[in-house]
Amino acid sequence: MLFQSFLIKYGEIGIKGKNRYVFEEALMKQIGHALQPVEGSFSVSREQGRIYVDADGDYDYDEAVLALTRVFGIVGICPLVRVEENGFDQLAKDVLKYLDDVYPDKNKTFKVVSRRARKNFPKNSQEINADLGEIILDTYPEMKVDVHHPDIMLNVEIRSQVNIYSMIIPGPGGMPVGTAGKAMLLLSGGIDSPVAGYMIAKRGVTIEATYFHAPPYTSERAKQKVIDLARIVSRYSGPIKLNIVNFTDIQLYIYDKCPHDQLTIIMRRYMMKIAEHFANESGCLGLITGESIGQVASQTMQSLAATNAVCNMPVYRPLIGFDKNDIIAISEKIDTYETSIQPFEDCCTIFVAKHPVTKPNLKIIERSEQHLNEKIDELMEVKPEIIAMDATISKRPGNKTLDEFFKEAKEKYPDQILMADISDYQEGIQAWKSGI
């Protein structure tokens, strides 16, 4: 295989100053997690502002690239040939071999861009560019130089070894997950909330999620749809703990006791209270929702203010200024769209008033909620119906084994139903052996 290494380019991390190494180490850890399911053995290393992924023997190139394109913090993935530095003559031979291997068709334009990190190399960068360009033109007369818009941007870096690359595969950008705290995502089966989770994770936030299930008004297929969405988002965010809450009794009680034009706002406020409860238990620093201004009745400025009033921790709304087409475009890019549009209702849509209030008055809402005082505290003594836990071969936080991860979960939640989220039969067997 031609490429045994990748040079990983990052963006914002490069301006982090003296604590840049913290973000580099977090990025290396996330790269290691992402490559864990890929066929092959990999090592991740750091050297003078460069992060390298090296394959030990054969590996699945396409799967490795796909995994790396889902790691937040990466802006570019460069398939790389690394050779020993043995003087300019050997460098020229290595560059010509690279061009032969990568570009069988030589009817292309090129530009050489060299960087000499080792200052004891006998030529400076400008001389390397000119001399390599001359040798390439002499060897391959059909190739032409174009310094403005070349077909091949040939990068040559003189370091402890020589790096030769010409392709930069775009990464997702952002910051490595785990560098910006933890937050609780209110996850539904719609288009918006999975995108919101993706976007917050892109800023380095570890996410957990809470889903409100309302049987028999919502089906098991609706619940499975949300589990599938959490799994898709976890390709980017890492493992997601998903709390599944039976919300039926609370919804019916609100429906029975409160004005119907206020149902959406009041139900939403109680969802936020419950999600905040789990967020506090898990050490989260905020809640995440997929709301954008004016999209539906519960997302007007007045409605969002009424929802916010019930929360003590910050509510992050990364889609707040997006229109629906913007959100759909991202959902298609991250592969959640086709799952989101499956026709299974969730509890956000089954109890919708014909004429919901769009400019709720907080005092009136709070007065309506007083009608719930008789039973609401009892109903709010909730625990998740199920906690869906990632049981794939991905590494756990702190590099815990699957057995250690499940043992810790069972000790923390001794009376809780735990569900193993798996991707194949073997993972199911392993989860069963671990007692899930």
Side-chain angles (χ1 to χ4, degrees):
M1 184 171 290
L2 175 59
F3 298 113
Q4 288 297 121
S5 301
F6 297 93
L7 170 63
I8 303 300
K9 291 181 175 286
Y10 51 68
E12 290 180 62
I13 293 175
I15 61 173
K16 288 301 178 183
K18 293 182 179 180
N19 65 342
R20 184 171 78 177
Y21 75 93
V22 175
F23 294 88
E24 289 177 337
E25 289 176 355
L27 179 56
M28 291 169 62
K29 183 183 294 186
Q30 292 302 317
I31 290 170
H33 290 176
L35 290 172
Q36 188 70 18
V38 177
E39 180 183 344
S41 177
F42 302 90
S43 61
V44 186
S45 60
R46 181 180 57 172
E47 177 189 307
Q48 296 179 325
R50 291 288 190 272
I51 292 177
Y52 298 101
V53 174
D54 296 301
D56 181 13
D58 292 338
Y59 70 101
D60 189 320
Y61 173 85
D62 292 333
E63 284 296 316
V65 170
L66 180 61
L68 292 170
T69 59
R70 292 171 173 167
V71 178
F72 292 132
I74 295 177
V75 299
I77 303 150
C78 307
L80 180 71
V81 169
R82 303 177 80 182
V83 296
E84 297 300 323
E85 191 278 292
N86 288 310
F88 180 79
D89 290 343
Q90 183 60 46
L91 172 63
K93 292 178 183 178
D94 292 330
V95 167
L96 292 177
K97 183 177 186 305
Y98 175 90
L99 290 173
D100 261 340
D101 291 341
V102 179
Y103 300 102
D105 178 9
K106 300 298 189 297
N107 287 298
K108 295 182 182 296
T109 60
F110 74 95
K111 177 183 179 179
V112 179
V113 179
S114 67
R115 182 170 182 175
R116 187 185 59 149
R118 283 183 54 186
K119 301 306 180 185
N120 60 350
F121 192 77
K123 295 177 183 287
N124 63 34
S125 296
Q126 286 294 92
E127 292 169 338
I128 295 170
N129 292 344
D131 293 350
L132 281 178
E134 182 179 359
I135 292 170
I136 292 169
L137 290 172
D138 289 343
T139 307
Y140 307 116
E142 63 270 43
M143 297 189 76
K144 306 295 180 186
V145 172
D146 183 344
V147 298
H148 299 294
H149 304 288
D151 297 324
I152 302 170
M153 184 72 78
L154 183 61
N155 293 274
V156 179
E157 296 184 349
I158 313 296
R159 296 180 174 273
S160 58
Q161 291 183 295
V162 177
N163 299 335
I164 305 170
Y165 64 95
S166 58
M167 294 179 284
I168 303 179
I169 301 165
M175 299 294 288
V177 171
T179 58
K182 185 192 297 185
M184 180 65 69
L185 171 67
L186 279 80
L187 182 62
S188 73
I191 295 171
D192 303 338
S193 58
V195 174
Y198 164 87
M199 293 188 66
I200 287 289
K202 185 175 180 178
R203 298 309 306 158
V205 177
T206 301
I207 60 173
E208 294 190 6
T210 298
Y211 163 61
F212 294 92
H213 189 46
Y217 303 99
T218 57
S219 66
E220 287 300 305
R221 296 185 71 180
K223 180 166 69 177
Q224 185 59 48
K225 172 183 171 180
V226 174
I227 294 171
D228 291 342
L229 287 170
R231 183 188 298 118
I232 295 170
V233 175
S234 73
R235 296 172 185 168
Y236 299 88
S237 69
I240 297 174
K241 173 187 169 185
L242 175 62
N243 303 290
I244 301 176
V245 177
N246 188 326
F247 198 58
T248 307
D249 291 342
I250 296 175
Q251 279 192 296
L252 292 174
Y253 191 50
I254 293 171
Y255 188 84
D256 184 50
K257 296 292 185 180
C258 295
H260 284 194
D261 64 341
Q262 299 173 17
L263 288 178
T264 303
I265 294 297
I266 293 175
M267 288 179 186
R268 189 72 177 166
R269 280 164 59 88
Y270 278 95
M271 288 179 180
M272 299 293 271
K273 285 184 179 182
I274 294 170
E276 187 175 61
H277 166 77
F278 292 130
N280 283 319
E281 280 192 343
S282 296
C284 295
L285 301 175
L287 304 177
I288 309 164
T289 75
E291 295 157 317
S292 64
I293 294 175
Q295 189 175 126
V296 293
S298 64
Q299 296 177 19
T300 63
M301 290 288 282
Q302 294 87 346
S303 296
L304 294 176
T307 304
N308 270 14
V310 79
C311 300
N312 293 313
M313 60 173 53
V315 181
Y316 301 107
R317 297 180 171 95
L319 310 183
I320 196 70
F322 284 40
D323 66 28
K324 199 66 177 183
N325 288 335
D326 296 331
I327 300 168
I328 289 173
I330 298 173
S331 72
E332 290 175 333
K333 182 180 78 171
I334 66 174
D335 294 329
T336 56
Y337 180 73
E338 292 300 327
T339 302
S340 291
I341 62 174
Q342 291 175 3
F344 308 124
E345 299 283 0
D346 61 34
C347 67
C348 294
T349 55
I350 57 173
F351 290 97
V352 177
K354 290 183 179 179
H355 303 289
V357 61
T358 58
K359 296 181 180 179
N361 182 292
L362 181 58
K363 290 183 179 179
I364 295 175
I365 294 293
E366 291 174 339
R367 191 156 57 241
S368 296
E369 288 177 346
Q370 291 177 6
H371 299 151
L372 305 172
N373 287 344
E374 183 180 350
K375 287 180 61 179
I376 195 64
D377 288 342
E378 175 187 341
L379 294 174
M380 286 288 284
E381 289 292 326
V382 295
K383 66 177 184 178
E385 175 184 313
I386 297 173
I387 296 180
M389 307 185 74
D390 178 75
T392 63
I393 62 172
S394 302
K395 289 186 179 179
R396 311 285 95 91
N399 291 326
K400 293 184 178 72
T401 66
L402 194 62
D403 287 342
E404 291 170 337
F405 185 61
F406 282 144
K407 181 180 178 183
E408 185 178 288
K410 286 188 286 187
E411 288 175 352
K412 186 173 182 180
Y413 308 105
D415 301 318
Q416 179 63 59
I417 298 174
L418 303 177
M419 182 180 75
D421 185 14
I422 61 173
S423 61
D424 59 34
Y425 176 77
Q426 290 301 323
E427 289 174 353
I429 294 296
Q430 182 58 46
W432 175 72
K433 289 180 178 179
S434 298
I436 301 299

